[in-house]
Amino acid sequence: MRNFLIVTADDFGLHDSVNEAIEQASRAGILTAASLMVGAPAADDAVRRARMLPNLRVGLHVVLADGNAMLAPHLIQELADDAGRMDSRMFSRGLRFFMLPTVRRQLEAEIRAQYSAFARTGLPLDHVNAHKHFHLHPSILEMLLRIGREYGLTAVRVPDEPFWFAARSGGWAAGAGAALLRPWIALMKLRLRAAGVFHNDNIFGVGASGAMDEAKLLQILARLPPGVTEIYLHPATESGRAIAASMSTYRHTEELAALLSPRVRAAIATAEIGCGGYREASVRHVR
């Protein structure tokens, strides 16, 4: 069994400086994949760039909180405000997804609209995940899998971060959060396997979201676990509120520097691991 590494940039399409950083990191760095926000302000620019980056695998970053919806506001009044913006109150939104059939119908329509928008780009669908890992919610995961079958879904990200990294990078709160998520992650993996959908074994980037600098990437590569590992980052050529109000503490430019680091590239080369997107991982990796 050969170890395999996927290095992903999230929030493709959120801002022009995010798109520029992803292009730089794909051409000159270690980036192998990106997750596209189809309803984000710079999504068209992201798609244009992706078509010119043959080594970049692109997936769908489904946005159901803290972002823009695809459908018109009057069609999803339970999900978005009059401007089509979905708030970041994930706990209350998650309860409504469980309890209210009207909300679930609108949720399903919005997920379908985002899949359809991705399909219209003509880009091959490498993977699917959700903004802020909202696909840990069982209702969302069920819809992603069911609707995704119609759009060629083959792989889904599982946010299964090793405890040592979560605790070291994000402190006790991140470590506790990683521990509390274990039952949900186990259930998620079971459902993906039952559906015949490929997934990663490990991930890095949850506890240190917005702070994945060169030192952290080198730590990860020195202790890379067996199997398929995804490292995800949020690179941009600007940082913090310049990208989004909810990212005021994110160090986007440091994450871009990490993706372009010669030391990181050398560490990957020394490790002699396979690299690419989820499609390559699913072909080359045998569980």
Side-chain angles (χ1 to χ4, degrees), residues 176-199:
L180 289 171
L181 285 176
R182 304 307 302 176
W184 295 95
I185 287 172
L187 177 61
M188 186 180 196
K189 288 183 175 180
L190 284 173
R191 293 182 70 176
L192 291 173
R193 289 168 185 162
V197 173
F198 185 79
H199 64 82

Side-chain angles (χ1 to χ4, degrees), residues 1 69 114 157 174 217 253 260:
M1 178 179 68
Q114 293 189 33
R157 169 193 289 169
L217 293 195
T253 57
L260 298 173

Side-chain angles (χ1 to χ4, degrees), residues 1-6 198 201-202 220-230 268 271-276 280-281 284-286:
M1 178 179 68
R2 188 181 181 191
N3 291 353
F4 197 93
L5 178 64
I6 303 165
F198 185 79
D201 298 298
N202 308 279
I220 293 164
L221 293 169
R223 297 182 58 176
L224 200 67
V228 176
T229 296
E230 181 181 7
I268 291 174
E272 297 183 344
I273 51 179
C275 296
E280 287 85 0
R284 299 182 189 180
H285 183 75
V286 179

Side-chain angles (χ1 to χ4, degrees), residues 245-261:
S246 61
M247 295 180 169
S248 60
T249 63
Y250 276 40
R251 306 199 303 267
H252 295 86
T253 57
E254 291 183 33
E255 297 204 349
L256 173 57
L259 289 170
L260 298 173
S261 164

